[in-house]
Amino acid sequence: MMETMADIEGLLDWYIMAGVQETCGDTPGISVSAEPIITNSIQTGPQKLFQSSANTVKAMPMAANISAAGNTAAVKNAKDICGKATSLQELKEIMLQFEGCGLKNTAASTVFGDGNPHARLMLIGEAPGADEDRQGKPFVGRCGKLLDKMFAAMQIKREDCYITNVLPWRPPGNRTPTDDEKAVCLPFLIRQIELIAPDFILLLGGIALNSVMNTPDSISRTRGKWMTYPVSAEKSAQVLATYHPSYLLRSPAQKANSWADLLRLKAKMRENTNDGN
Ligand code: URA
C-alpha cells in the first residue's frame, strides 16, 4: 500500500526508469490533440492513428516498423539537412525540427551535445538516460557523475571537453537503439564531429564505437587501441574507445582497464601539447 510521499515518488521514479511516458484513464484509448499533428516531414512508412473522442487524430510514426525504403529516405534527408548546418547552434535547431526518428515521440527532451565548441577532446556516449532526458543535457545522471570523477582524477576539466551521444533521444526504458534509429541519428553526430573538429575522440561503449568507426568489433577487443577518424579533408582525430560508465557501474572490476585507457589518452594529449588539456 502507498503510505508516504516517498513511496509515491519511488513508484513514479520506477515508472520513469521503465520508460512509461503517459498515463491513461479507465476508459479505452484516446489521445487528444487540439490540432492534427503530422510528426514526419518525410515518408517513414506505417503510421499509427489514434482517433480521439473530439475527432482529432494524432499520427504517431512507428520507428520500429519503418520500412527499409522509408528509413533510407529518412537517413538521406538527415544527411542533407545536417550538411547545411554551419554552426552547432544551427545544427541544434535542425535537430529540434527533425521528425525522422520515432524516439523523439517518447522522449521528454532532445539532448544535444554540450561543452566547449573548440574542445580538443570530444566524448561520445550512447543515448540519454532518464536524468539526461529530464534535464536535456548529456551525462548528468549516475553515469555522468562517474565520468566527472574519472576526468577529475585525470585533471581534465569537463568544461574543456565537448560531450554528446550517438542518439539525442532516450530510447524508452533505456532499451538498445535499433539499427534504423542509429542510422537516422548518425548524420547529426557526424556533423557535430565536423563542426567541433576535435584532436581526440573518446568513444564510450560499444554503440559509440560501432556507430562512429563503422565496425562490428566489440568494445572489449577494441578498447585501449588507437584509431583515427577523418574529421575533414585536412584533419584526422585520434580515437580511443573505452567501456561505457554504465558498464563500469555494473562491473566495477573493469574500472582498472578504463583507467588505463584514460591514462593512455592523457599521455597522448600531453605528447601533442604542453599542458595535456
Ligand atoms: N548514457 C549515455 O550514453 N549518455 C548519456 O548522456 C547518459 C547516459
Side-chain angles (χ1 to χ4, degrees), residues 111 124-129 132 137-141 143-144 163-165 204 244 246:
V111 181
I124 302 175
E126 180 177 327
E132 291 76 19
K137 280 194 168 192
F139 284 103
V140 289
C143 290
I163 307 185
T164 192
N165 283 304
L204 301 167
H244 192 284
S246 69

Side-chain angles (χ1 to χ4, degrees), residues 81-82 84-99 104 110-113 162 168-169 188 191-192 195:
I81 57 178
C82 289
K84 296 197 173 108
T86 59
S87 67
L88 289 171
Q89 188 53 38
E90 274 179 31
L91 187 62
K92 182 174 180 180
E93 277 154 24
I94 290 169
M95 187 186 270
L96 291 170
Q97 305 284 323
F98 186 65
E99 301 293 349
K104 194 176 189 181
T110 295
V111 181
F112 194 72
Y162 184 85
W169 298 290
F188 290 94
R191 193 69 188 132
Q192 283 176 86
L195 291 166

Side-chain angles (χ1 to χ4, degrees), residues 46 56 60 80 95 99 132 156 188 205 226 238 252 273-274 276:
T56 58
M60 297 272 287
D80 289 348
M95 187 186 270
E99 301 293 349
E132 291 76 19
I156 291 183
F188 290 94
W226 284 105
Q238 315 231 43
T273 186
N274 292 330

Side-chain angles (χ1 to χ4, degrees), residues 153-212:
M154 274 207 313
Q155 297 177 326
I156 291 183
K157 294 186 199 123
R158 181 177 168 134
E159 57 271 26
D160 289 338
C161 306
Y162 184 85
I163 307 185
T164 192
N165 283 304
V166 174
L167 294 111
W169 298 290
R170 181 191 182 216
N174 294 345
R175 68 159 166 74
T176 304
T178 66
D179 288 347
D180 282 351
E181 289 161 354
K182 285 181 281 184
V184 85
C185 293
L186 196 56
F188 290 94
L189 175 61
I190 290 173
R191 193 69 188 132
Q192 283 176 86
I193 299 175
E194 289 167 355
L195 291 166
I196 302 276
D199 296 335
F200 296 92
I201 297 175
L202 183 65
L203 302 172
L204 301 167
I207 300 262
L209 166 67
N210 302 149
S211 305
V212 174

